[in-house]
Amino acid sequence: MSKKITLHGEFVYVMAILLLSLAVAMLSAANFGVSMIVAPAYIISQKLGVITFGQGEYLVQSLLFIVFCILMKKVKLVYFSSFATCLIYGAVLDLWRKFVPLFNPDITAPGSMGLPVRIFLFIGGMILTSFSVMLFYKTYLYPQVYDFFVKGISARFDKDRTKFKITFDFSCLAVSCILTLVLFRKFVGIGVGTLVLTALNGFIIGWFDKLFDKCVDLKPLFPKFAAKFDL
């Protein structure tokens, strides 16, 4: 059996934020439909026009955070670090979309690239989304609220995380469809890519999860600090 690679959870956390925000930027540019998870934030930002995609994430994740605390039947100060992750993620997402011309909708209209480029962006974005979410599940630092919700609630009620994630994804898809039809009376941000992501995301995360455990030994750089993040 090959020796595992040792990584620190803090490094994994930073990588998860960078890769997930990049993945969302790629999927938005491909224009086959954004992830069902971020679709509500995207739809709201498109409707209001005065807030960015990342700022739309702040609004949606704030509401989900309230639901999380209600279901957990408690509020711990450390829980708010999940929203801090949301703030960082949203800011990095906006930076990707501002400074990379291919991702900036004011420079390159979403879906205006050639089909091969769009397919590459979509497949790459889908893989990176699943991989980065898996990384969030592995680190002790709390992920953004979407993934913190899945991680915390599945543990709270002793549910299989992969199965719960799939259920959560389909629930987000349903909410997104209702939201876009109410606000626009047509599908905005929802496309065939959204359906593909909804169907495959949970399974790909599960596959990455098993592969990661086989290859990586994850240890916190600051063990005493990590102990404070026990759910």
Side-chain angles (χ1 to χ4, degrees), residues 66-74 149 153 156-157 164:
I66 294 173
V67 174
F68 173 83
C69 292
I70 292 174
L71 293 176
M72 292 294 287
K73 295 183 178 180
K74 60 182 176 180
F149 185 92
I153 299 302
R156 166 73 172 78
F157 294 98
F164 185 77

Side-chain angles (χ1 to χ4, degrees), residues 69-82:
C69 292
I70 292 174
L71 293 176
M72 292 294 287
K73 295 183 178 180
K74 60 182 176 180
V75 180
K76 296 172 66 175
L77 184 60
V78 72
Y79 285 175
F80 287 90
S81 65
S82 176

Side-chain angles (χ1 to χ4, degrees), residues 31-34 173 187-196:
N31 201 37
F32 286 119
V34 297
L173 176 63
F187 288 105
V188 173
I190 305 294
V192 63
T194 309
L195 300 178
V196 173

Side-chain angles (χ1 to χ4, degrees), residues 29 95-110 112-113:
L95 288 175
W96 282 118
R97 285 166 58 83
K98 180 178 181 180
F99 292 108
V100 179
L102 187 63
F103 302 152
N104 189 331
D106 294 328
I107 297 176
T108 307
S112 62
M113 302 79 73

Side-chain angles (χ1 to χ4, degrees), residues 2-221:
S2 59
K3 186 177 180 180
K4 290 185 177 182
I5 301 171
T6 299
L7 293 177
H8 292 300
E10 297 82 357
F11 169 76
V12 170
Y13 171 80
V14 173
M15 290 302 300
I17 291 177
L18 293 174
L19 293 178
L20 183 59
S21 56
L22 173 60
V24 173
M26 292 172 69
L27 291 171
S28 301
N31 201 37
F32 286 119
V34 297
S35 163
M36 59 284 156
I37 301 298
V38 303
Y42 180 82
I43 293 166
I44 291 173
S45 67
Q46 291 296 302
K47 180 63 178 181
L48 296 180
V50 295
I51 63 174
T52 65
F53 192 174
Q55 291 166 347
E57 290 277 42
Y58 302 158
L59 176 61
V60 173
Q61 294 195 45
S62 295
L63 297 175
L64 186 61
F65 182 77
I66 294 173
V67 174
F68 173 83
C69 292
I70 292 174
L71 293 176
M72 292 294 287
K73 295 183 178 180
K74 60 182 176 180
V75 180
K76 296 172 66 175
L77 184 60
V78 72
Y79 285 175
F80 287 90
S81 65
S82 176
F83 193 72
T85 300
C86 165
L87 295 177
I88 299 170
Y89 154 78
V92 176
L93 170 59
D94 285 340
L95 288 175
W96 282 118
R97 285 166 58 83
K98 180 178 181 180
F99 292 108
V100 179
L102 187 63
F103 302 152
N104 189 331
D106 294 328
I107 297 176
T108 307
S112 62
M113 302 79 73
L115 185 59
V117 176
R118 293 178 64 199
I119 292 175
F120 173 79
L121 288 173
F122 175 77
I123 295 176
M126 179 174 65
I127 293 173
L128 281 181
T129 295
S130 300
F131 182 70
S132 55
V133 170
M134 180 277 298
L135 291 180
F136 269 132
Y137 290 160
K138 294 300 181 182
T139 179
Y140 69 86
L141 291 162
Y142 292 159
Q144 60 171 337
V145 181
Y146 300 130
D147 305 310
F148 184 48
F149 185 92
V150 172
K151 183 177 182 177
I153 299 302
S154 61
R156 166 73 172 78
F157 294 98
D158 195 26
K159 300 295 183 181
D160 180 87
R161 192 168 62 196
T162 297
K163 293 180 180 178
F164 185 77
K165 169 62 176 171
I166 294 171
T167 301
F168 180 75
D169 287 350
F170 275 96
S171 298
C172 289
L173 176 63
V175 170
S176 300
C177 290
I178 293 172
L179 189 61
T180 187
L181 292 175
V182 169
L183 296 180
F184 292 99
R185 300 190 183 280
K186 63 179 181 179
F187 288 105
V188 173
I190 305 294
V192 63
T194 309
L195 300 178
V196 173
L197 285 162
T198 305
L200 298 181
N201 191 45
F203 294 104
I204 299 176
I205 291 172
W207 182 80
F208 275 132
D209 187 278
K210 294 177 181 178
L211 182 63
F212 187 91
D213 287 342
K214 289 181 180 179
C215 301
V216 178
D217 182 17
L218 194 63
K219 295 181 178 180
L221 189 60

